[in-house]
Amino acid sequence: MTTCREIHDFLMTWLDGELEPAVNERFEHHIAACSCCNNYVDSYRKTVELGRTAFDPCGDAASESTDAAEVHPPLPDELVQAVLAARRKASPPGDGA
Amino acid sequence: MSPETEQEPDQVALLARLRAGEERAYADLMQLAGPRMLAVARRFLRADQDAEDAVQDAFLQAFKNLDRFEGNAKLTTWLHRITVNASLMKLRKQKRTHEVNLEDLLPRYGDDGHRDRLVPEWTESGADVVSVGETRAAVRAAIDRLPDSYRNVLLLRDIEQLDTAETAELMGLSINATKTRLHRARQALREILEPHFSKEVSA
Ligand SMILES: [Zn+2]
């Protein structure tokens, strides 16, 4: 018999479709009959989705953009200059010419 | 989202200029990829200065290894991996002082394998939050409460969208340990978020 704890422990394996068929069937039986596990599965899925979107640049759902370069502020100029200077120092132009 | 193997024409042209050593191309690459790289570094490193240092390290490493970049990935995807790596290296150098024990964040069970309390149903958007922006801020704060070794795996897999093998390599873990850690991190995050999303009025 499958306990709630086993369901919770192997939930990701189940969601990834990596359980043995027989175990898989027991899992689905348990979840269908247990409201606690049902809520757990649902809230686990929501948690993953919330994590996935937590760092999306803007809180405005209307401005969904896939082009990340457009939504992030440009690099600070001092940083750009520092990198360029460090690069020139690492490999001076005309080196080896 | 386009497949990662698909090269964008402007990135191909830029790569050619970089390989030719054109000075202006370095600045162009920073303008193209830099903003996203800084956003990535900020997820791992809490202080702005550390995030900027990681981006600097990442660019210098990229410039040095340009001839090792294989054209089968997008230039920006390659830079993303280098940035993640540079951020983790930087993070490893600083030890967090007040790390919580993950066990304290995980669900508890009785001897019969039942939860110690009922698992409530969750609302769609969060009961006590008024906007998407607030929800996201609450989730970010919750992720930040996870111990670094769990938080990093969650960031790499669920947010940076690296696969299990890549994550395992970056973290120096086995595939199985990486999977377990991701699952535990999600479980702990679920527990932290529950009070915000539970349909029952908080007791
Ligand atoms: Zn159950």
Side-chain angles (χ1 to χ4, degrees), chain A residues 3-4 7-8 30 34 36-37, chain B residues 114:
Chain A
T3 66
C4 295
I7 300 288
H8 301 182
H30 179 114
C34 176
C36 242
C37 282
Chain B
H114 280 86

Side-chain angles (χ1 to χ4, degrees), chain B residues 50 63 76 109 182 190 193-194:
Chain B
D50 290 339
F63 293 157
T76 44
Y109 301 87
L182 173 63
R190 201 208 72 86
L193 291 176
E194 186 149 275

Side-chain angles (χ1 to χ4, degrees), chain A:
Chain A
M1 110 129 216
T2 314
T3 66
C4 295
R5 174 166 209 164
E6 287 173 295
I7 300 288
H8 301 182
D9 280 350
F10 293 95
L11 183 52
M12 190 173 91
T13 319
W14 175 61
L15 289 172
D16 290 346
E18 291 174 359
L19 283 181
E20 305 269 322
V23 183
N24 200 68
E25 201 176 318
R26 285 210 324 251
F27 243 69
E28 280 164 21
H29 268 291
H30 179 114
I31 293 168
C34 176
S35 69
C36 242
C37 282
N38 216 316
N39 289 344
Y40 196 87
V41 172
D42 177 63
S43 56
Y44 182 94
R45 280 196 168 118
K46 279 182 181 149
T47 298
V48 175
E49 192 47 38
L50 285 164
R52 208 163 264 162
T53 52
F55 294 90
D56 285 0
C58 179
D60 190 353
S63 67
E64 286 292 323
S65 170
T66 50
D67 191 354
E70 279 176 18
V71 288
H72 299 298
L75 286 187
D77 197 48
E78 311 88 82
L79 177 59
V80 176
Q81 295 313 322
V83 174
L84 292 176
R87 190 204 70 81
R88 276 191 296 266
K89 219 170 136 195
S91 60
D95 191 20

Side-chain angles (χ1 to χ4, degrees), chain B residues 93-148:
Chain B
K93 285 185 198 149
Q94 33 177 259
K95 262 273 152 276
R96 275 181 93 186
T97 41
H98 55 284
E99 194 110 294
V100 254
N101 189 346
L102 189 84
E103 293 301 315
D104 297 339
L105 299 172
L106 287 178
R108 287 177 224 280
Y109 301 87
D111 293 335
D112 58 357
H114 280 86
R115 274 303 296 269
D116 56 345
R117 55 185 173 74
L118 291 180
V119 179
E121 198 181 337
W122 280 24
T123 57
E124 278 317 306
S125 56
D128 60 351
V129 285
V130 291
S131 71
V132 179
E134 255 183 71
T135 304
R136 287 178 182 168
V139 178
R140 289 195 298 270
I143 292 172
D144 210 40
R145 281 181 57 193
L146 300 173
D148 270 359

